Amino acid sequence: MKHLVRAYRVEDRTAVKNIAKELPGFFDPHVADYICLDAESHHAAVCSNSDGSVYGFVVWIETSFEVEIVWVGVRASTQRRGAGASLVEFVLRSIDSNKIVVAKVGKLQENTSYTKTVYDDLSKAEAFWNGMGFEAIGLLTSFWGDGNDALVMRYTKGAGDDQELNGTQ
């Protein structure tokens, strides 16, 4: 399935908020507004159907030497069809390939208030990032609160892969 990825627009705000709220295992409900604020003050893109309906988003922060992918979400009904990969690839194509690219992946302890199903889903998220060419480089203990650790992932594809992503091969 080919995904249409385009730059985020302010009129995408409601759709992005709804997607985040539909994914309680990945986002606390109160962060939906923060996702939109970050999208409007940094860089963001969305996946949309030909009719314009949005079903995925990515938000990243870029400095002179680093890019951090801070939010990625895909509507549950369209997950596992390549939309998340298309969004991350869009970021990688949009930035200077010499920059360090990182993402923080949630690592919940099983004794948190989250369910076992959510814990398993977050392990799948870690596997997603590995499949995109990221590898774990560190752990931030209780980064998102007591027992909710963040695994720091860094993009590690070789120069040839970066050139191919950027269309310069």
Side-chain angles (χ1 to χ4, degrees):
M1 175 178 198
K2 185 168 171 51
H3 301 280
L4 173 62
V5 181
R6 61 166 174 78
Y8 172 91
R9 299 185 295 242
V10 175
E11 52 267 23
D12 297 324
R13 175 180 260 273
T14 300
V16 168
K17 282 176 70 169
N18 288 339
I19 293 166
K21 288 177 180 179
E22 291 171 12
L23 301 170
F26 296 96
F27 306 109
D28 287 333
H30 71 278
V31 304
D33 287 323
Y34 295 119
I35 293 170
C36 293
L37 289 171
D38 284 345
E40 292 162 16
S41 60
H42 300 291
H43 302 279
V46 297
C47 270
S48 66
N49 293 318
S50 56
D51 67 1
S53 59
V54 172
Y55 58 92
F57 62 87
V58 62
V59 181
W60 67 99
I61 297 171
E62 189 168 358
T63 68
S64 59
F65 64 93
E66 178 183 65
V67 173
E68 181 181 356
I69 300 174
V70 292
W71 306 107
V72 180
V74 176
R75 192 174 301 281
S77 61
T78 57
Q79 288 179 356
R80 299 206 158 288
R81 296 184 187 151
S86 292
L87 288 161
V88 172
E89 288 168 355
F90 180 87
V91 174
L92 296 173
R93 282 192 308 271
S94 298
I95 62 170
D96 179 343
S97 63
N98 293 318
K99 292 187 178 186
I100 296 168
V101 183
V102 297
K104 294 182 188 90
V105 178
K107 294 283 287 180
L108 301 180
Q109 292 183 6
E110 291 191 61
N111 63 355
T112 66
S113 61
Y114 289 88
T115 65
K116 177 72 171 114
T117 303
V118 170
Y119 181 84
D120 289 343
D121 286 345
L122 289 168
S123 295
K124 290 176 187 173
E126 181 182 341
F128 164 80
W129 289 102
N130 285 140
M132 293 300 303
F134 287 73
E135 71 178 11
I137 60 169
L139 183 71
L140 300 173
T141 306
S142 294
F143 183 75
W144 287 299
D146 189 32
N148 294 317
D149 301 337
L151 184 64
V152 181
M153 310 282 291
R154 180 177 176 178
Y155 184 65
T156 59
K157 289 285 189 179
D161 294 325
D162 288 341
Q163 290 172 357
E164 186 177 324
L165 271 174
N166 289 315
T168 59
Q169 192 169 13

